[in-house]
Amino acid sequence: SEYCWPCCWPCWCCRIFWGPGRQCRRDRRLLFAWVLGLGLLAGPAGRIDCVGDLREVNLVPADLRRAEAELREVWGDLRGRALAFARGLDLEAALTANERLYERLRREFSAAEIVSLAPVLPGLEAQRENRRRWRTFWSPERLAGLHRELARLGAEFGFAADAFQPFFTALTQAPPPLTREFWARAGFSDLLEVLLAEGPDQVTLLSLVPDRPGLPALIPEAGPASALYLVSPQAFSAEVSAVIAADLKRFIGLALLSVGLILLLLLRHLGQALLALLPVLAGLLTMFGGMGALGLSFNLFNLVAVILLIGLGVDYGIFMVYRLYHGRRASTERAVLVSGLTTLAGFGVLVLARHPALHSIGLTVLLGVGGALPTVLWVLPALQRRLAAARS
């Protein structure tokens, strides 16, 4: 049984890993362990994601975290809210748009979760409709019946006959119109200044709602050219994350393509070019798999480390391929080892950084170079020996 299952004849793969006469057991074990390790890392590598929220990589001191926790306990999670704007050419148009916005938001949120002027400052048309419904509800027959019932109950409990007259007077009198001036006189001028902004050619009203992934679907027509406009940090973060993920794939593809073409022009041998690229591929898989296993994500900062790893890994591969195939000095291994260790030491200290962005850069390079360096020093020579044995 010189060949691995399910092969029954000496295929190319079996001749590399086993070879005739079971020679070089040490190389076979090394290659098997390397392939097994990369295979185990392939699963977590598929779980890695990209984060577009820059707040995730900001350094927040402990005292500031405590202050933010106290602020959330008293005022709620203000940082976790989305901004919804209703705009119009004048105040009445803006109030009408704000009412429409509030109706949309009430489909998803309770009234307590929404900070809006719509319930207390509707448009004049809405106020007229509310007064009409009020008068329809408090018809003379309903008022007379309520008056008789209160008079009967009041006599039983010793109330004067005209004790409820102010109440009935308030029901029949027309309420004052709800205007900005009305609420300013009532002591809400500071709140109006925050939620209502009047410009020379536009009036804007601001509403605050909890930021949720499905929020933009509630206002599909919101946009720069619409009377409604939505600013959702979660939606923005998701968009940035998608851009980072797309750029990451594009950068890796272009970098590998460019490096591969240069290697073919330099080495003029497809097999040697693939061997020189092997440390890059192993380093990338180790980086992605390690980050996926640790629950880490890519961001705008450690994205640069991927391109850096491709450049470093292919350099190590070129040095070792020239050492193996072109008879360069035996001290190449030592030079590559020292170069890799200095890179690990230089970037490795960033793992100790308190700033999340610097920490992510250091950890990303540490994982990538940590996967590429053993591939260069041990796997490439073993694979070259097995390839030579397979050809013989």
Side-chain angles (χ1 to χ4, degrees):
S1 58
E2 304 240 344
Y3 314 116
C4 58
W5 184 89
C7 297
C8 59
W9 62 85
C11 66
W12 182 80
C13 173
C14 293
R15 294 182 67 186
I16 291 178
F17 279 91
W18 297 100
R22 297 178 179 269
Q23 297 298 314
C24 302
R25 294 182 178 180
R26 189 177 183 182
D27 290 344
R28 293 198 299 266
R29 292 171 184 172
L30 174 63
L31 292 175
F32 179 78
W34 179 72
V35 172
L36 179 63
L38 293 183
L40 294 176
L41 289 172
R47 299 197 300 264
I48 195 169
D49 58 353
C50 298
V51 175
D53 191 355
L54 295 181
R55 293 177 298 182
E56 297 292 333
V57 291
N58 283 339
L59 176 62
V60 182
D63 53 348
L64 183 56
R65 291 184 183 273
R66 289 192 296 268
E68 289 182 348
E70 295 176 359
L71 185 64
R72 284 194 299 269
E73 185 177 354
V74 176
W75 299 102
D77 188 11
L78 296 179
R79 294 184 63 182
R81 290 182 175 267
L83 307 179
F85 300 92
R87 299 176 294 196
L89 297 179
D90 53 20
L91 181 59
E92 182 62 22
L95 291 175
T96 303
N98 196 45
E99 293 170 22
R100 189 167 73 253
L101 172 65
Y102 184 76
E103 292 175 0
R104 299 284 186 89
L105 297 176
R106 285 289 283 118
R107 300 174 186 175
E108 181 72 17
F109 307 99
S110 64
E113 294 178 302
I114 306 174
V115 179
S116 175
L117 291 176
V120 297
L121 188 58
L124 296 179
E125 183 62 30
Q127 293 188 42
R128 284 193 291 267
E129 177 62 21
N130 291 338
R131 293 192 187 94
R132 186 193 64 79
R133 290 188 295 173
W134 178 269
R135 290 191 298 267
T136 302
F137 179 82
W138 291 111
S139 61
E141 294 79 9
R142 190 185 296 270
L143 283 172
L146 181 63
H147 194 280
R148 289 192 300 269
E149 185 67 16
L150 286 179
R152 183 183 64 80
L153 294 176
E156 293 180 5
F157 289 96
F159 284 90
D162 59 347
F164 299 101
Q165 189 58 41
F167 170 69
F168 287 100
T169 303
L171 287 181
T172 56
Q173 285 182 347
L178 297 177
T179 61
R180 181 177 182 179
E181 292 73 19
F182 173 84
W183 289 113
R185 290 193 300 268
F188 293 93
S189 57
D190 293 338
L191 180 62
L192 291 172
E193 291 180 0
V194 174
L195 300 181
L196 194 155
E198 291 189 83
D201 54 354
Q202 185 174 261
V203 179
T204 303
L205 284 89
L206 169 65
S207 299
L208 300 175
V209 292
D211 195 10
R212 296 178 183 175
L215 183 59
L218 294 177
I219 318 171
E221 74 276 15
S226 173
L228 305 179
Y229 191 76
L230 181 66
V231 178
S232 171
Q234 281 197 13
F236 177 75
S237 176
E239 184 176 352
V240 174
S241 299
V243 171
I244 292 177
D247 284 345
L248 178 63
K249 297 176 183 178
R250 184 164 59 91
F251 290 159
I252 292 177
L254 291 176
L256 291 178
L257 179 61
S258 303
V259 170
L261 292 176
I262 294 174
L263 288 176
L264 285 176
L265 294 174
L266 176 67
L267 300 173
R268 300 182 183 276
H269 191 281
L270 180 61
Q272 296 180 17
L274 292 177
L275 284 179
L277 274 177
L278 203 59
V280 177
L281 302 179
L284 289 176
L285 187 55
T286 304
M287 176 194 296
F288 291 134
M291 294 180 67
L294 296 175
L296 303 176
S297 303
F298 273 101
N299 52 61
L300 290 173
F301 298 96
N302 58 10
L303 181 63
V304 182
V306 180
I307 308 303
L308 177 64
L309 173 63
I310 294 176
L312 291 175
V314 76
D315 284 347
Y316 300 155
I318 291 172
F319 297 152
M320 187 57 66
V321 166
Y322 265 83
R323 163 71 178 88
L324 297 173
Y325 287 95
H326 299 277
R328 302 307 183 197
R329 296 177 60 86
S331 57
T332 302
E333 290 91 339
R334 182 178 301 176
V336 171
L337 175 62
V338 173
S339 177
L341 292 179
T342 54
T343 302
L344 289 175
F347 282 93
V349 295
L350 294 179
V351 178
L352 306 176
R354 295 178 56 196
H355 198 287
L358 297 178
H359 175 79
S360 65
I361 294 175
L363 189 58
T364 303
V365 176
L366 193 65
L367 290 171
V369 177
L373 198 57
T375 303
V376 173
L377 295 176
W378 300 322
V379 175
L380 285 189
L383 191 57
Q384 187 269 340
R385 287 192 293 266
R386 301 310 304 152
L387 287 171
R391 287 193 299 266
S392 61

